[in-house]
């Protein structure tokens, strides 16, 4: 069962291949994704690495957490499930109000 890791405090120059090369030293890497800004394309300073199994993921955390990569000490821990940005549905947050900001007269 693959295990997903969060990798934070990345230097802006770190690429997917940099992370894949590093994490392959701890075990089999399934996928790598450095998260980028959708408008500028610049790295947002974090990414995710999916290891082949929990044992390799645990080994990667021990081996690479708080170690230097391209001039910055990276943070490596188990990725948490993504939370919904729309709330629980019981509150009125989010989008809507199509008339907001428009002159109606």
């Amino acid at each position: 069962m693959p295990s997903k890791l969060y990798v934070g405090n990345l230097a802006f120059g770190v690429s997917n291949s940099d992370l894949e090369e590093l994490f392959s030293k701890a075990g089999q890497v399934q996928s790598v994704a450095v998260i980028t800004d959708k408008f500028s394309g610049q790295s947002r300073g974090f990414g995710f690495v999916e290891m082949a199994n929990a044992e390799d993921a645990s080994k990667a955390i021990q081996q690479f957490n708080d170690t230097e990569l391209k001039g910055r000490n990276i943070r490596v821990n188990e990725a948490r499930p993504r939370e919904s940005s729309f709330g629980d549905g019981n509150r009125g947050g989010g989008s809507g109000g199509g008339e907001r900001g428009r002159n109606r007269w």
Side-chain angles (χ1 to χ4, degrees), residues 6-99:
Y6 166 84
V7 185
N9 201 38
L10 294 176
F12 292 126
V14 173
S15 67
N16 287 346
S17 58
D18 293 328
L19 285 183
E20 185 169 7
E21 182 181 328
L22 179 66
F23 280 80
S24 66
K25 295 174 185 175
Q28 184 180 356
V29 175
Q30 297 279 35
S31 66
V32 176
V34 173
I35 306 305
T36 57
D37 181 83
K38 66 181 176 180
F39 298 110
S40 70
Q42 172 131 1
S43 169
R44 294 188 59 199
F46 69 96
F48 296 95
V49 175
E50 193 169 10
M51 303 298 288
N53 56 57
E55 184 180 318
D56 288 349
S58 179
K59 189 172 163 185
I61 291 169
Q62 291 175 4
Q63 197 168 342
F64 303 124
N65 186 43
D66 203 29
T67 60
E68 189 268 334
L69 177 64
K70 292 199 172 189
R72 296 184 81 167
N73 283 6
I74 61 173
R75 302 284 178 241
V76 182
N77 50 50
E78 201 171 318
R80 288 180 271 161
R82 187 174 179 175
E83 292 181 15
S84 172
S85 60
F86 295 108
D88 61 9
N90 292 329
R91 292 187 240 165
S95 62
E99 297 296 323

